[in-house]
Amino acid sequence: MVLSGFVAFMGIITAEVLYPNYSTRQDISDLGSTRPPDPIIHEPSATIFNSTMLVTGALVLVAAYFVYRSMDRRDFPVGLVIFGVSILGVGVFPGNVTPWHGLFALLTFFSGGITVVLSSRVVSGPFSVLCGLFGAVSLLILVSVFFYGLVIGGPHPLAFLGSGGIERWVVYPLVLWILAFGGYLLGIADTNPASF
């Protein structure tokens, strides 16, 4: 999990730096390819971003396997598997591959937020509160985008951040959770492996 979070965070940053005139107001997935009808692909950003998603998803799946083997609860590891598969899908289907990219991105956001919330039930102490908070922030922002777009029909309160800025409020709590949860697992492995 720690490696997965590290790869995701550093891969996104590296792709952003190498993308000409990139702004964090742009969607994160623009790093792999913008949407049709006239997709723009900048190399090496596209290869770095898409590879980052593939490696991140694969590492989350490996972690899910070990989490599944070491705990009694099944809902959390299943959520982790769906999260990992959806991240892989974002890498397999860049932004120019419609509708698949959008579907996998949306699945990543929803399954990630739900998995983070579920993790609050399998960890102890104040970290469980942080897990609930990270998941809630991600899901709240995601749901609010749909609420303002489909129900209100008006601009989102965070519209000044651009679509990419709003998306980062959904994605970065998930990436930070991956790092923190991995650190938590490393910590309990050193003290008492059976406590998970």
Side-chain angles (χ1 to χ4, degrees):
M1 293 293 284
V2 172
L3 286 176
S4 177
F6 175 80
V7 167
F9 195 70
M10 298 310 294
I12 290 170
I13 288 173
T14 303
E16 287 173 346
V17 168
L18 296 174
Y19 190 106
N21 302 313
Y22 184 78
S23 166
T24 53
R25 294 176 59 82
Q26 290 176 248
D27 292 343
I28 297 172
S29 293
D30 284 358
L31 296 168
S33 172
T34 60
R35 292 181 291 243
D38 298 313
I40 298 170
I41 300 172
H42 287 290
E43 292 294 353
S45 292
T47 298
I48 291 168
F49 177 76
N50 296 328
S51 299
T52 293
M53 295 301 102
L54 292 172
V55 172
T56 300
L59 289 171
V60 169
L61 288 174
V62 169
Y65 168 75
F66 288 112
V67 167
Y68 178 81
R69 288 188 51 199
S70 64
M71 69 182 309
D72 295 331
R73 298 184 65 93
R74 296 298 176 231
D75 55 349
F76 173 67
V78 168
L80 203 53
V81 166
I82 295 168
F83 185 39
V85 168
S86 61
I87 296 169
L88 270 170
V90 169
V92 170
F93 303 107
N96 60 330
V97 183
T98 55
W100 299 108
H101 177 80
L103 294 173
F104 276 102
L106 195 56
L107 183 60
T108 298
F109 302 154
F110 272 115
S111 67
I114 291 168
T115 301
V116 174
V117 170
L118 287 174
S119 74
S120 69
R121 298 168 55 192
V122 299
V123 298
S124 60
F127 186 53
S128 65
V129 175
L130 286 176
C131 291
L133 178 66
F134 284 12
V137 165
S138 180
L139 288 171
L140 179 65
I141 299 296
L142 180 61
V143 169
S144 73
V145 168
F146 287 100
F147 180 74
Y148 277 92
L150 300 174
V151 177
I152 302 289
H156 193 278
L158 297 177
F160 64 93
L161 296 174
S163 62
I166 296 171
E167 183 182 28
R168 281 163 175 79
W169 272 90
V170 174
V171 172
Y172 283 167
L174 306 179
V175 174
L176 293 172
W177 170 82
I178 291 172
L179 286 163
F181 187 74
Y184 176 86
L185 294 179
L186 289 172
I188 63 169
D190 284 344
T191 57
N192 182 7
S195 65
F196 189 57

